[in-house]
Amino acid sequence: MKKWAVLGLAFIIVGLAGCHSTPSAQPASRQVLNHAETIWHDIGSWTAGKYTAQAASVAPTVVVTRHGLAVGSTALTYAQAKTAIRTQTSLVKPHWFTLKQLNAGLAKAKAGFVLKHLTDLTFYRTAVTPAPTTGYVARGKRLYAIEILATGDTAAKLPAITVYASTGHQPQRVATSDLAGRWVGADGRQLRVIGDKLYQNATLGASRQLIQPLRTVAVDQLYSATYLQHLAVAAQRGYRLTRATTTLATDGSTLYVFLSKQRMVDLSSAGSVTFTKTNRGQDTSQVKADILKVFAAADARQDLLPAISVANIGSSYYEVACHAFSMLTDPYASKDIDWQKATLVNQRVTITDMYPELK
């Protein structure tokens, strides 16, 4: 009887040990990376077993994965990456980490899973990194970027690991038609939405930006280097701008993100300011009638790029800056703007080249 009791206890202990074994990386990583879109921002890194958190004052690096790929990349297996590294780079005393060392690094990073095989890692080849030395593996809201080799005289015992998170406040999906009206910022600034444009008054006139639901922007166009920089600024301020739900406008330096029908936030390298849609208090958001008339006249001209700003430069004369609303994905400088001159006489607007001699 005692013998059976001892055997039974042994089976229970073995069973409990099995229940507490560390889960493997796959297939969970593959499932996460195959999502329609996941925005990751780095939160820190492990080097030689020591952790350094991402500085709050610095915009993080952002990686976007879609359907198994990082945007702008092609996927490689471990074997393909190793071949590319050997054939395309000049390595100085390379030290390839073993599976045991990679798992020791993940354990130090408290990843909560282990690699069963080196093939559990996914590699992303880009034009900038044709021979990637970093393998990726994901679990839940964490993405781990693991260096598979070290170089130099002192061989590292643990791989360098960068940890990314998919966290942050996500905007609600809104219709542009629900955003019309006056928006008042916590800093006292006032903006106005008219149609699909966000207007901001200035001393001599007004500027405007196009309000864009990101889901309407083509994928090939959206994920540019400029857009990834916008995502990095948003992540730094605690926001995750998913393509499926985000509607925003931008002048290139500031993102105006509509969180809901009633709340908006502007995000920039300087910080963030919350806006609320309201009819209360003194209204300074109304755009002057003559400025709107010039905008309308410019919009009616099929041969002109959109007017992004209008300024009264004296009497009935106006300076009109024209350029595509491209700051979301493709920035431009003042030299790229097409400058026009508008005259408003008897409610009729005439637009001509500001600098015809430069044409």
PDB file of all heavy atoms in Angstrom, residues 182-206:
ATOM      1  N   ARG A 182     -16.143  73.366 -33.767  1.00  0.00           N
ATOM      2  CA  ARG A 182     -15.067  74.073 -33.068  1.00  0.00           C
ATOM      3  C   ARG A 182     -14.400  73.164 -32.046  1.00  0.00           C
ATOM      4  O   ARG A 182     -15.056  72.472 -31.270  1.00  0.00           O
ATOM      5  CB  ARG A 182     -15.680  75.289 -32.371  1.00  0.00           C
ATOM      6  CG  ARG A 182     -14.776  76.059 -31.432  1.00  0.00           C
ATOM      7  CD  ARG A 182     -15.483  77.361 -31.046  1.00  0.00           C
ATOM      8  NE  ARG A 182     -14.983  77.939 -29.801  1.00  0.00           N
ATOM      9  CZ  ARG A 182     -15.618  77.891 -28.644  1.00  0.00           C
ATOM     10  NH1 ARG A 182     -16.799  77.289 -28.554  1.00  0.00           N
ATOM     11  NH2 ARG A 182     -15.084  78.452 -27.569  1.00  0.00           N
ATOM     12  N   TRP A 183     -13.066  73.194 -32.053  1.00  0.00           N
ATOM     13  CA  TRP A 183     -12.279  72.383 -31.137  1.00  0.00           C
ATOM     14  C   TRP A 183     -11.398  73.307 -30.300  1.00  0.00           C
ATOM     15  O   TRP A 183     -10.652  74.125 -30.839  1.00  0.00           O
ATOM     16  CB  TRP A 183     -11.418  71.393 -31.910  1.00  0.00           C
ATOM     17  CG  TRP A 183     -12.237  70.364 -32.644  1.00  0.00           C
ATOM     18  CD1 TRP A 183     -12.884  70.531 -33.831  1.00  0.00           C
ATOM     19  CD2 TRP A 183     -12.509  69.045 -32.213  1.00  0.00           C
ATOM     20  NE1 TRP A 183     -13.541  69.376 -34.181  1.00  0.00           N
ATOM     21  CE2 TRP A 183     -13.322  68.434 -33.209  1.00  0.00           C
ATOM     22  CE3 TRP A 183     -12.137  68.278 -31.111  1.00  0.00           C
ATOM     23  CZ2 TRP A 183     -13.778  67.123 -33.110  1.00  0.00           C
ATOM     24  CZ3 TRP A 183     -12.580  66.968 -31.003  1.00  0.00           C
ATOM     25  CH2 TRP A 183     -13.391  66.400 -31.993  1.00  0.00           C
ATOM     26  N   VAL A 184     -11.489  73.167 -28.968  1.00  0.00           N
ATOM     27  CA  VAL A 184     -10.761  74.041 -28.054  1.00  0.00           C
ATOM     28  C   VAL A 184      -9.726  73.224 -27.296  1.00  0.00           C
ATOM     29  O   VAL A 184     -10.041  72.202 -26.685  1.00  0.00           O
ATOM     30  CB  VAL A 184     -11.716  74.730 -27.062  1.00  0.00           C
ATOM     31  CG1 VAL A 184     -10.931  75.608 -26.086  1.00  0.00           C
ATOM     32  CG2 VAL A 184     -12.752  75.553 -27.813  1.00  0.00           C
ATOM     33  N   GLY A 185      -8.468  73.696 -27.347  1.00  0.00           N
ATOM     34  CA  GLY A 185      -7.389  72.988 -26.689  1.00  0.00           C
ATOM     35  C   GLY A 185      -7.218  73.390 -25.236  1.00  0.00           C
ATOM     36  O   GLY A 185      -7.638  74.473 -24.814  1.00  0.00           O
ATOM     37  N   ALA A 186      -6.588  72.501 -24.475  1.00  0.00           N
ATOM     38  CA  ALA A 186      -6.317  72.790 -23.065  1.00  0.00           C
ATOM     39  C   ALA A 186      -5.391  73.988 -22.917  1.00  0.00           C
ATOM     40  O   ALA A 186      -5.334  74.615 -21.853  1.00  0.00           O
ATOM     41  CB  ALA A 186      -5.697  71.560 -22.401  1.00  0.00           C
ATOM     42  N   ASP A 187      -4.665  74.340 -23.990  1.00  0.00           N
ATOM     43  CA  ASP A 187      -3.775  75.505 -23.956  1.00  0.00           C
ATOM     44  C   ASP A 187      -4.438  76.766 -24.483  1.00  0.00           C
ATOM     45  O   ASP A 187      -3.796  77.810 -24.628  1.00  0.00           O
ATOM     46  CB  ASP A 187      -2.510  75.220 -24.765  1.00  0.00           C
ATOM     47  CG  ASP A 187      -2.812  74.867 -26.221  1.00  0.00           C
ATOM     48  OD1 ASP A 187      -4.007  74.802 -26.582  1.00  0.00           O
ATOM     49  OD2 ASP A 187      -1.861  74.639 -26.982  1.00  0.00           O
ATOM     50  N   GLY A 188      -5.752  76.692 -24.790  1.00  0.00           N
ATOM     51  CA  GLY A 188      -6.495  77.866 -25.246  1.00  0.00           C
ATOM     52  C   GLY A 188      -6.604  78.012 -26.749  1.00  0.00           C
ATOM     53  O   GLY A 188      -7.396  78.822 -27.248  1.00  0.00           O
ATOM     54  N   ARG A 189      -5.828  77.256 -27.516  1.00  0.00           N
ATOM     55  CA  ARG A 189      -5.926  77.332 -28.980  1.00  0.00           C
ATOM     56  C   ARG A 189      -7.284  76.819 -29.445  1.00  0.00           C
ATOM     57  O   ARG A 189      -7.875  75.948 -28.817  1.00  0.00           O
ATOM     58  CB  ARG A 189      -4.819  76.515 -29.634  1.00  0.00           C
ATOM     59  CG  ARG A 189      -3.460  77.182 -29.645  1.00  0.00           C
ATOM     60  CD  ARG A 189      -2.452  76.281 -30.338  1.00  0.00           C
ATOM     61  NE  ARG A 189      -2.255  75.043 -29.611  1.00  0.00           N
ATOM     62  CZ  ARG A 189      -1.962  73.879 -30.178  1.00  0.00           C
ATOM     63  NH1 ARG A 189      -1.870  73.790 -31.494  1.00  0.00           N
ATOM     64  NH2 ARG A 189      -1.772  72.803 -29.441  1.00  0.00           N
ATOM     65  N   GLN A 190      -7.735  77.375 -30.580  1.00  0.00           N
ATOM     66  CA  GLN A 190      -8.995  76.925 -31.145  1.00  0.00           C
ATOM     67  C   GLN A 190      -8.807  76.564 -32.619  1.00  0.00           C
ATOM     68  O   GLN A 190      -8.154  77.296 -33.370  1.00  0.00           O
ATOM     69  CB  GLN A 190     -10.071  78.007 -31.000  1.00  0.00           C
ATOM     70  CG  GLN A 190     -10.418  78.314 -29.547  1.00  0.00           C
ATOM     71  CD  GLN A 190     -11.707  79.114 -29.417  1.00  0.00           C
ATOM     72  OE1 GLN A 190     -12.560  79.123 -30.311  1.00  0.00           O
ATOM     73  NE2 GLN A 190     -11.869  79.766 -28.267  1.00  0.00           N
ATOM     74  N   LEU A 191      -9.368  75.445 -33.005  1.00  0.00           N
ATOM     75  CA  LEU A 191      -9.327  74.962 -34.381  1.00  0.00           C
ATOM     76  C   LEU A 191     -10.748  74.719 -34.843  1.00  0.00           C
ATOM     77  O   LEU A 191     -11.673  74.610 -34.029  1.00  0.00           O
ATOM     78  CB  LEU A 191      -8.518  73.661 -34.467  1.00  0.00           C
ATOM     79  CG  LEU A 191      -7.117  73.663 -33.836  1.00  0.00           C
ATOM     80  CD1 LEU A 191      -6.504  72.272 -33.911  1.00  0.00           C
ATOM     81  CD2 LEU A 191      -6.225  74.669 -34.529  1.00  0.00           C
ATOM     82  N   ARG A 192     -10.932  74.627 -36.144  1.00  0.00           N
ATOM     83  CA  ARG A 192     -12.282  74.389 -36.678  1.00  0.00           C
ATOM     84  C   ARG A 192     -12.209  73.376 -37.813  1.00  0.00           C
ATOM     85  O   ARG A 192     -11.345  73.472 -38.701  1.00  0.00           O
ATOM     86  CB  ARG A 192     -12.924  75.687 -37.155  1.00  0.00           C
ATOM     87  CG  ARG A 192     -14.317  75.497 -37.769  1.00  0.00           C
ATOM     88  CD  ARG A 192     -15.072  76.800 -37.857  1.00  0.00           C
ATOM     89  NE  ARG A 192     -15.495  77.261 -36.554  1.00  0.00           N
ATOM     90  CZ  ARG A 192     -16.634  76.887 -35.954  1.00  0.00           C
ATOM     91  NH1 ARG A 192     -17.442  76.032 -36.550  1.00  0.00           N
ATOM     92  NH2 ARG A 192     -16.944  77.370 -34.776  1.00  0.00           N
ATOM     93  N   VAL A 193     -13.130  72.417 -37.767  1.00  0.00           N
ATOM     94  CA  VAL A 193     -13.264  71.434 -38.844  1.00  0.00           C
ATOM     95  C   VAL A 193     -14.393  71.874 -39.759  1.00  0.00           C
ATOM     96  O   VAL A 193     -15.528  72.084 -39.308  1.00  0.00           O
ATOM     97  CB  VAL A 193     -13.559  70.024 -38.291  1.00  0.00           C
ATOM     98  CG1 VAL A 193     -13.877  69.060 -39.434  1.00  0.00           C
ATOM     99  CG2 VAL A 193     -12.374  69.515 -37.484  1.00  0.00           C
ATOM    100  N   ILE A 194     -14.058  72.029 -41.042  1.00  0.00           N
ATOM    101  CA  ILE A 194     -15.035  72.345 -42.078  1.00  0.00           C
ATOM    102  C   ILE A 194     -14.864  71.297 -43.175  1.00  0.00           C
ATOM    103  O   ILE A 194     -13.792  71.217 -43.785  1.00  0.00           O
ATOM    104  CB  ILE A 194     -14.846  73.760 -42.656  1.00  0.00           C
ATOM    105  CG1 ILE A 194     -14.900  74.814 -41.546  1.00  0.00           C
ATOM    106  CG2 ILE A 194     -15.895  74.065 -43.726  1.00  0.00           C
ATOM    107  CD1 ILE A 194     -14.538  76.222 -42.025  1.00  0.00           C
ATOM    108  N   GLY A 195     -15.883  70.513 -43.398  1.00  0.00           N
ATOM    109  CA  GLY A 195     -15.766  69.437 -44.386  1.00  0.00           C
ATOM    110  C   GLY A 195     -14.714  68.442 -43.962  1.00  0.00           C
ATOM    111  O   GLY A 195     -14.740  67.935 -42.829  1.00  0.00           O
ATOM    112  N   ASP A 196     -13.747  68.187 -44.850  1.00  0.00           N
ATOM    113  CA  ASP A 196     -12.671  67.243 -44.509  1.00  0.00           C
ATOM    114  C   ASP A 196     -11.355  67.967 -44.245  1.00  0.00           C
ATOM    115  O   ASP A 196     -10.275  67.390 -44.418  1.00  0.00           O
ATOM    116  CB  ASP A 196     -12.488  66.204 -45.616  1.00  0.00           C
ATOM    117  CG  ASP A 196     -12.078  66.835 -46.946  1.00  0.00           C
ATOM    118  OD1 ASP A 196     -12.089  68.078 -47.048  1.00  0.00           O
ATOM    119  OD2 ASP A 196     -11.765  66.076 -47.885  1.00  0.00           O
ATOM    120  N   LYS A 197     -11.444  69.228 -43.800  1.00  0.00           N
ATOM    121  CA  LYS A 197     -10.244  70.012 -43.516  1.00  0.00           C
ATOM    122  C   LYS A 197     -10.266  70.522 -42.075  1.00  0.00           C
ATOM    123  O   LYS A 197     -11.326  70.857 -41.524  1.00  0.00           O
ATOM    124  CB  LYS A 197     -10.126  71.220 -44.463  1.00  0.00           C
ATOM    125  CG  LYS A 197     -10.228  70.929 -45.947  1.00  0.00           C
ATOM    126  CD  LYS A 197      -9.095  70.114 -46.483  1.00  0.00           C
ATOM    127  CE  LYS A 197      -9.097  70.064 -48.018  1.00  0.00           C
ATOM    128  NZ  LYS A 197     -10.365  69.614 -48.610  1.00  0.00           N
ATOM    129  N   LEU A 198      -9.075  70.614 -41.496  1.00  0.00           N
ATOM    130  CA  LEU A 198      -8.894  71.190 -40.168  1.00  0.00           C
ATOM    131  C   LEU A 198      -8.228  72.552 -40.337  1.00  0.00           C
ATOM    132  O   LEU A 198      -7.101  72.639 -40.842  1.00  0.00           O
ATOM    133  CB  LEU A 198      -8.019  70.276 -39.306  1.00  0.00           C
ATOM    134  CG  LEU A 198      -7.704  70.759 -37.891  1.00  0.00           C
ATOM    135  CD1 LEU A 198      -8.970  70.802 -37.042  1.00  0.00           C
ATOM    136  CD2 LEU A 198      -6.649  69.860 -37.242  1.00  0.00           C
ATOM    137  N   TYR A 199      -8.940  73.634 -39.934  1.00  0.00           N
ATOM    138  CA  TYR A 199      -8.467  75.004 -40.140  1.00  0.00           C
ATOM    139  C   TYR A 199      -7.913  75.576 -38.838  1.00  0.00           C
ATOM    140  O   TYR A 199      -8.449  75.346 -37.743  1.00  0.00           O
ATOM    141  CB  TYR A 199      -9.609  75.904 -40.613  1.00  0.00           C
ATOM    142  CG  TYR A 199     -10.050  75.642 -42.032  1.00  0.00           C
ATOM    143  CD1 TYR A 199     -10.882  74.567 -42.338  1.00  0.00           C
ATOM    144  CD2 TYR A 199      -9.648  76.471 -43.079  1.00  0.00           C
ATOM    145  CE1 TYR A 199     -11.303  74.324 -43.650  1.00  0.00           C
ATOM    146  CE2 TYR A 199     -10.060  76.245 -44.389  1.00  0.00           C
ATOM    147  CZ  TYR A 199     -10.883  75.169 -44.661  1.00  0.00           C
ATOM    148  OH  TYR A 199     -11.302  74.933 -45.960  1.00  0.00           O
ATOM    149  N   GLN A 200      -6.842  76.368 -39.003  1.00  0.00           N
ATOM    150  CA  GLN A 200      -6.259  77.072 -37.868  1.00  0.00           C
ATOM    151  C   GLN A 200      -5.979  78.510 -38.282  1.00  0.00           C
ATOM    152  O   GLN A 200      -5.271  78.762 -39.264  1.00  0.00           O
ATOM    153  CB  GLN A 200      -4.962  76.397 -37.415  1.00  0.00           C
ATOM    154  CG  GLN A 200      -4.328  77.048 -36.203  1.00  0.00           C
ATOM    155  CD  GLN A 200      -3.208  76.208 -35.608  1.00  0.00           C
ATOM    156  OE1 GLN A 200      -2.911  75.116 -36.081  1.00  0.00           O
ATOM    157  NE2 GLN A 200      -2.581  76.708 -34.564  1.00  0.00           N
ATOM    158  N   ASN A 201      -6.540  79.450 -37.549  1.00  0.00           N
ATOM    159  CA  ASN A 201      -6.354  80.864 -37.871  1.00  0.00           C
ATOM    160  C   ASN A 201      -4.940  81.323 -37.527  1.00  0.00           C
ATOM    161  O   ASN A 201      -4.315  80.829 -36.589  1.00  0.00           O
ATOM    162  CB  ASN A 201      -7.366  81.728 -37.110  1.00  0.00           C
ATOM    163  CG  ASN A 201      -8.753  81.641 -37.716  1.00  0.00           C
ATOM    164  OD1 ASN A 201      -8.894  81.596 -38.936  1.00  0.00           O
ATOM    165  ND2 ASN A 201      -9.778  81.613 -36.869  1.00  0.00           N
ATOM    166  N   ALA A 202      -4.456  82.262 -38.316  1.00  0.00           N
ATOM    167  CA  ALA A 202      -3.166  82.904 -38.078  1.00  0.00           C
ATOM    168  C   ALA A 202      -3.373  84.415 -38.123  1.00  0.00           C
ATOM    169  O   ALA A 202      -4.485  84.890 -38.379  1.00  0.00           O
ATOM    170  CB  ALA A 202      -2.150  82.465 -39.125  1.00  0.00           C
ATOM    171  N   THR A 203      -2.314  85.175 -37.898  1.00  0.00           N
ATOM    172  CA  THR A 203      -2.437  86.633 -37.829  1.00  0.00           C
ATOM    173  C   THR A 203      -3.021  87.217 -39.111  1.00  0.00           C
ATOM    174  O   THR A 203      -3.914  88.079 -39.070  1.00  0.00           O
ATOM    175  CB  THR A 203      -1.063  87.268 -37.563  1.00  0.00           C
ATOM    176  OG1 THR A 203      -0.531  86.734 -36.345  1.00  0.00           O
ATOM    177  CG2 THR A 203      -1.193  88.781 -37.432  1.00  0.00           C
ATOM    178  N   LEU A 204      -2.560  86.741 -40.276  1.00  0.00           N
ATOM    179  CA  LEU A 204      -2.987  87.320 -41.551  1.00  0.00           C
ATOM    180  C   LEU A 204      -4.018  86.469 -42.291  1.00  0.00           C
ATOM    181  O   LEU A 204      -4.560  86.920 -43.301  1.00  0.00           O
ATOM    182  CB  LEU A 204      -1.763  87.526 -42.453  1.00  0.00           C
ATOM    183  CG  LEU A 204      -0.678  88.465 -41.915  1.00  0.00           C
ATOM    184  CD1 LEU A 204       0.480  88.535 -42.899  1.00  0.00           C
ATOM    185  CD2 LEU A 204      -1.257  89.846 -41.661  1.00  0.00           C
ATOM    186  N   GLY A 205      -4.267  85.254 -41.833  1.00  0.00           N
ATOM    187  CA  GLY A 205      -5.198  84.396 -42.560  1.00  0.00           C
ATOM    188  C   GLY A 205      -5.427  83.083 -41.851  1.00  0.00           C
ATOM    189  O   GLY A 205      -5.729  83.066 -40.654  1.00  0.00           O
ATOM    190  N   ALA A 206      -5.245  81.985 -42.579  1.00  0.00           N
ATOM    191  CA  ALA A 206      -5.483  80.670 -41.984  1.00  0.00           C
ATOM    192  C   ALA A 206      -4.734  79.602 -42.771  1.00  0.00           C
ATOM    193  O   ALA A 206      -4.436  79.770 -43.960  1.00  0.00           O
ATOM    194  CB  ALA A 206      -6.975  80.346 -41.955  1.00  0.00           C
TER     195      ALA A 206
END
